[in-house]
């Protein structure tokens, strides 16, 4: 390692990294900003000067492989939002309105994920929402975003349990759905308690099944629309009935947007898995790049087929006032329209596995975020406990217990609980998506202000600064517009509270931590861009260094296919 005029050159194996350091004396390995703005080195709240490196245990294990990361990004978040919630968007906004809602939210989510990918590849951490907000803006905001992300996913796990019980009742209506919900919770808990490798492997196969299902669904849907199956040519007929193509116009679209946001919630989970990724330099950018095609193919194509095959006034669509029809998803209805009633049962089984997968991912994300919060003194210290396999067992138990409590609340018989959970967790998701955009804006500005070259970033988000600005603008519009339908033409108290409850909760978390800890806004030039980075981890041997790979072109693919077998 050599340095001249603040330039640092690091050569590790076949990798050669060059980082232009700004005012070399500004940063040091203690990661302590000026004026005590943010001191990540203090794990607890007692103010002890021990550094992270002296408290490396307990820690997570970097055992997630590239194929697992890729499949988690592609299919790990396809859950009830798409397979079940898409029925709500069709009934609320009509076929064209629901398609517009998913296109709008999908484009926004793409830019959010590229922003997160740039930061997470540069600084691999298991809680990017808390860590980046505290590091680039204000420690109090980090505290608020971390807890916001935790309770959002905790509510999502609870809603998946509700859906699981109802889905099984599609076959066994005489058995109480609580039984199946508790069995599902047990499966999710055990998959997360084994090891991160167990979680990754389970998600790989469940996500593979979901991806295959969407492929089959799209083929059957196209055949049904064209009349090849089912004996009835549908074409664009359902786009010309009452309530189509747009139902309630802009109000319907805005209502559908919050359900679409819930469907996409979890797309950012790849940022959480970075902390346990074996090769973040290669695998995180790959996973992020797949987001665009996943949104385009899996979500948009599926919504288009559903809108073509199923009329928006179909009685089996999930209405906001009823949970009883959740078990009959729009995907199942498409198979029934095709005349394959036996396939509907298979599809319902796939939906059940999808619910398990989405809940499994939610429990994983909650556990890692809570573990980091506890490690930084922002949650009870007991939640720092990690097993020998690298599983934060008490954080996992804590999350599972709270999800069970919320699930039990839904048993009170209130038919609005399911949509309440969707709205609350959906708006919470919008909140931390806004946090990602703001953090990326601050990160890139600080990176340039401190003399670094963006070309040296391991992964660079496209269309900056348009991406985060576009995403933030859409998010603000959605938050404001979502409450319109709860106020006019008639005030809906439950709808208004469920829509906006996430905002006061966030303010409570933020202001409580800010005033009790007297935190300050981090100055742009004081933002630490050297400690805990991927480059530092590779240099210190915390992460294995892998040889760089060139772009995967068709020519390279055919060369691989024609390779000589090993003798």
């Amino acid at each position: 390692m050599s340095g001249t005029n603040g330039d640092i050159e690091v050569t590790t194996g076949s990798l050669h990294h060059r980082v232009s350091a700004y005012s070399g004396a500004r940063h040091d390995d203690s990661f302590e900003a000026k004026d005590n703005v943010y001191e990540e080195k203090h794990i607890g709240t007692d103010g002890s000067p021990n550094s992270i490196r002296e408290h490396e245990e307990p820690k997570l294990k970097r055992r997630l492989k590239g194929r697992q990361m890729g499949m988690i990004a592609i299919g790990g978040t396809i859950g009830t939002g798409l397979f079940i919630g898409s029925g709500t968007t069709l009934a609320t906004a009509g076929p064209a309105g629901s398609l517009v809602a998913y296109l709008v939210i999908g484009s926004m989510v793409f830019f959010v994920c590229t922003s997160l990918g740039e930061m997470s590849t540069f600084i691999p951490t298991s809680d990017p929402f808390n860590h980046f907000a505290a590091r680039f803006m204000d420690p109090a905001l980090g505290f608020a975003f971390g807890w916001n992300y935790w309770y959002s996913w905790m509510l999502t796990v609870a809603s998946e349990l509700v859906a699981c019980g109802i889905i099984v009742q599609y076959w066994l209506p005489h058995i109480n759905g609580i039984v199946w919900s508790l069995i599902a919770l047990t499966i999710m808990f055990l998959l997360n308690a084994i090891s991160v490798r167990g979680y990754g492997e389970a998600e790989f196969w469940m996500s593979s099944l979901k991806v295959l299902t969407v492929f089959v669904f799209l083929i059957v849907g196209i055949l049904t629309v064209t009349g090849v199956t089912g004996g009835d040519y549908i074409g664009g007929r359902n786009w010309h009935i009452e309530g189509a193509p747009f139902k309630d116009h802009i109000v319907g679209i805005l209502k559908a947007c919050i359900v679409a946001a819930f469907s996409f919630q979890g797309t950012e989970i790849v940022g959480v898995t970075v902390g346990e990724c074996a090769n973040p330099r290669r695998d995180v950018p790959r996973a992020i790049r797949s987001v665009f095609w996943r949104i385009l193919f899996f979500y948009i194509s599926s919504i288009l087929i559903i809108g073509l095959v199923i009329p928006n006034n179909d009685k089996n669509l999930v209405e906001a006032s009823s949970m009883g029809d959740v078990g009959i998803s729009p995907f199942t209805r498409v198979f029934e329209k095709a005349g394959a009633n036996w396939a509907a049962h298979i599809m319902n089984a796939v939906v059940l596995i999808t619910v398990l997968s989405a809940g499994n991912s939610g429990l994983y994300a909650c556990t890692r975020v809570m573990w980091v919060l506890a490690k930084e003194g922002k949650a009870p210290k007991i939640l720092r406990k990690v097993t020998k396999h690298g599983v934060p067992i008490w954080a996992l138990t804590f999350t599972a217990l709270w999800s069970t409590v919320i699930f039990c609340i839904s048993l009170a018989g209130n038919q609005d609980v399911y949509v309440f959970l969707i709205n609350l967790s959906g708006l919470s998701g919008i909140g931390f998506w806004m946090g990602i955009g703001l953090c990326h804006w601050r990160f890139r500005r600080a990176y340039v202000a401190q003399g670094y070259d963006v070309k040296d970033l391991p992964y660079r988000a496209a269309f900056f600064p348009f991406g985060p600005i576009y995403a933030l603008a859409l998010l603000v519009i959605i938050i404001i517009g979502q409450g319109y339908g709860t106020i006019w033409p008639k005030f809906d108290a439950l709808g208004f509270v469920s829509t906006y409850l996430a905002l006061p909760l966030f303010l409570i978390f933020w202001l409580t931590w800010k005033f009790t800890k007297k935190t300050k806004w981090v100055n742009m030039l004081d933002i630490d861009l050297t400690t805990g980075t991927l480059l530092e981890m590779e240099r210190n041997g915390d992460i294995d260094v892998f040889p760089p790979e060139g772009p995967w072109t068709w020519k390279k693919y055919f060369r691989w296919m024609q390779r000589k077998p090993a003798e």
Side-chain angles (χ1 to χ4, degrees):
M1 178 172 65
S2 62
T4 304
N5 296 327
D7 289 346
I8 301 174
E9 292 189 2
V10 181
T11 303
T12 309
S14 61
L15 289 178
H16 185 76
H17 312 292
R18 184 180 184 277
V19 180
S20 300
Y22 173 80
S23 298
R26 171 171 282 111
H27 302 301
D28 54 48
D29 288 338
S30 67
F31 193 1
E32 180 176 4
K34 293 182 179 180
D35 300 323
N36 274 340
V37 174
Y38 180 44
E39 299 181 359
E40 184 173 283
K41 71 176 186 176
H42 297 311
I43 295 177
T45 56
D46 57 354
S48 62
N50 296 324
S51 66
I52 289 178
R53 210 167 290 281
E54 294 174 7
H55 289 275
E56 289 183 334
E57 297 296 342
K59 63 181 181 180
L60 306 179
K61 307 291 185 181
R62 292 190 175 274
R63 293 177 176 174
L64 283 179
K65 305 300 182 182
R67 64 180 179 85
Q68 296 170 336
M69 289 283 293
M71 194 54 70
I72 288 172
I74 292 174
T77 58
I78 300 177
T80 55
L82 178 62
F83 285 100
I84 297 176
S86 54
T88 302
T89 62
L90 180 57
T92 301
S98 60
L99 189 62
V100 169
Y102 273 87
L103 281 170
V104 170
I105 299 298
S107 62
M108 178 270 298
V109 169
F110 169 72
F111 287 115
V112 168
C113 286
T114 57
S115 294
L116 179 61
E118 178 175 303
M119 295 184 293
S120 294
T121 309
F122 185 76
I123 305 173
T125 174
S126 291
D127 183 8
F129 316 102
N130 159 46
H131 185 88
F132 294 150
R135 187 164 182 162
F136 303 144
M137 295 190 291
D138 180 0
L141 282 175
F143 175 81
F145 277 119
W147 276 95
N148 180 81
Y149 191 78
W150 175 83
Y151 81 70
S152 173
W153 265 112
M154 182 270 295
L155 290 174
T156 300
V157 173
S159 68
E160 302 290 6
L161 294 177
V162 173
C164 181
I166 299 174
I167 288 172
V168 177
Q169 285 186 316
Y170 178 77
W171 299 295
L172 305 171
H174 302 298
I175 299 179
N176 197 316
I178 299 176
V179 175
W180 309 116
S181 297
L182 293 179
I183 292 175
L185 177 62
T186 303
I187 294 174
M188 296 175 194
F189 184 89
L190 292 177
L191 287 176
N192 277 273
I194 296 173
S195 68
V196 67
R197 185 177 296 172
Y199 158 79
E201 199 64 26
E203 276 304 300
F204 175 82
W205 290 108
M206 287 191 288
S207 296
S208 298
L209 177 62
K210 289 185 289 185
V211 170
L212 177 62
T213 299
V214 174
F215 269 107
V216 174
F217 167 79
L218 293 177
I219 294 173
V220 172
I222 293 173
L223 295 177
T224 304
V225 171
T226 56
V228 176
T229 60
D232 180 25
Y233 175 79
I234 298 176
R237 182 174 63 204
N238 290 327
W239 283 52
H240 300 284
I241 63 176
E242 183 180 357
F246 293 97
K247 183 177 180 179
D248 292 338
H249 305 290
I250 187 65
V251 175
I253 293 176
L254 288 173
K255 287 181 179 179
C257 279
I258 198 70
V259 181
F262 178 79
S263 301
F264 283 111
Q265 185 175 331
T267 308
E268 78 294 329
I269 201 173
V270 66
V272 179
T273 61
V274 172
E276 295 170 277
C277 176
N279 187 2
R281 180 179 292 275
R282 180 196 64 188
D283 297 333
V284 176
R286 279 185 180 178
I288 294 296
R289 292 188 189 105
S290 72
V291 169
F292 173 78
W293 300 108
R294 173 158 56 103
I295 291 173
L296 181 65
F297 184 80
F298 293 105
Y299 284 90
I300 306 304
S301 299
S302 297
I303 295 299
L304 177 61
I305 291 297
I306 291 172
L308 288 171
V309 177
I310 305 176
N312 65 83
N313 56 7
D314 190 302
K315 65 178 182 179
N316 288 309
L317 291 178
V318 181
E319 296 289 350
S321 60
S322 174
M323 285 171 43
D325 293 330
V326 174
I328 307 177
S329 79
F331 280 62
T332 303
R333 295 289 295 141
V334 169
F335 279 106
E336 290 178 345
K337 290 279 187 179
N341 292 326
W342 58 269
H345 290 278
I346 295 178
M347 184 64 215
N348 225 52
V350 172
V351 172
L352 178 61
I353 294 175
T354 297
V355 169
L356 290 173
S357 175
N360 188 41
S361 293
L363 204 55
Y364 169 84
C366 280
T367 300
R368 268 55 185 181
V369 169
M370 183 53 63
W371 176 76
V372 174
L373 287 170
K375 194 178 73 168
E376 295 182 359
K378 299 174 181 177
K381 290 184 178 180
I382 191 175
L383 301 180
R384 294 173 49 197
K385 171 67 176 178
V386 173
T387 67
K388 63 180 181 180
H389 297 295
V391 177
I393 190 64
W394 289 121
L396 173 63
T397 304
F398 178 78
T399 300
L401 287 176
W402 270 104
S403 293
T404 304
V405 170
I406 299 298
F407 165 71
C408 290
I409 293 175
S410 70
L411 303 180
N414 189 335
Q415 298 296 306
D416 294 313
V417 171
Y418 186 67
V419 70
F420 180 88
L421 293 176
I422 288 180
N423 286 348
L424 182 57
S425 58
L427 197 65
S428 298
I430 291 176
F432 52 75
W433 284 340
M434 290 186 68
I436 292 172
L438 291 171
C439 287
H440 186 217
W441 177 265
R442 291 273 298 174
F443 165 73
R444 183 68 79 89
R445 288 187 62 195
Y447 194 82
V448 174
Q450 295 185 24
Y452 294 97
D453 189 346
V454 295
K455 295 180 180 179
D456 293 324
L457 290 170
Y459 170 75
R460 189 165 69 251
F463 304 110
F464 184 89
F466 170 78
I469 293 175
Y470 170 77
L472 288 170
L474 282 179
L475 289 168
V476 171
I477 293 173
I478 292 171
I479 290 177
I480 296 174
Q482 177 59 25
Y484 177 79
T486 64
I487 299 175
W488 189 89
K490 182 180 179 181
F491 181 71
D492 179 7
L494 178 63
F496 184 84
V497 171
S498 66
T499 298
Y500 288 116
L501 182 60
L503 297 180
L505 285 177
F506 179 85
L507 290 176
I508 291 172
F509 282 122
W510 176 34
L511 296 178
T512 299
W513 193 259
K514 188 167 187 64
F515 286 115
T516 56
K517 300 298 180 180
K518 303 186 185 304
T519 63
K520 299 179 182 179
W521 190 261
V522 184
N523 185 280
M524 192 74 68
L525 296 179
D526 289 329
I527 293 177
D528 191 315
L529 297 175
T530 60
T531 308
T533 63
L534 177 62
L535 180 61
E536 183 191 56
M537 291 181 180
E538 291 175 337
R539 184 175 64 221
N540 294 336
D542 297 329
I543 294 180
D544 293 334
V545 179
F546 295 85
E549 297 182 0
W552 189 261
T553 62
W554 284 108
K555 184 180 294 185
K556 183 176 180 180
Y557 172 76
F558 284 118
R559 284 202 304 267
W560 177 82
M561 290 290 291
Q562 298 170 5
R563 70 194 189 284
K564 294 181 179 180
E567 297 180 359

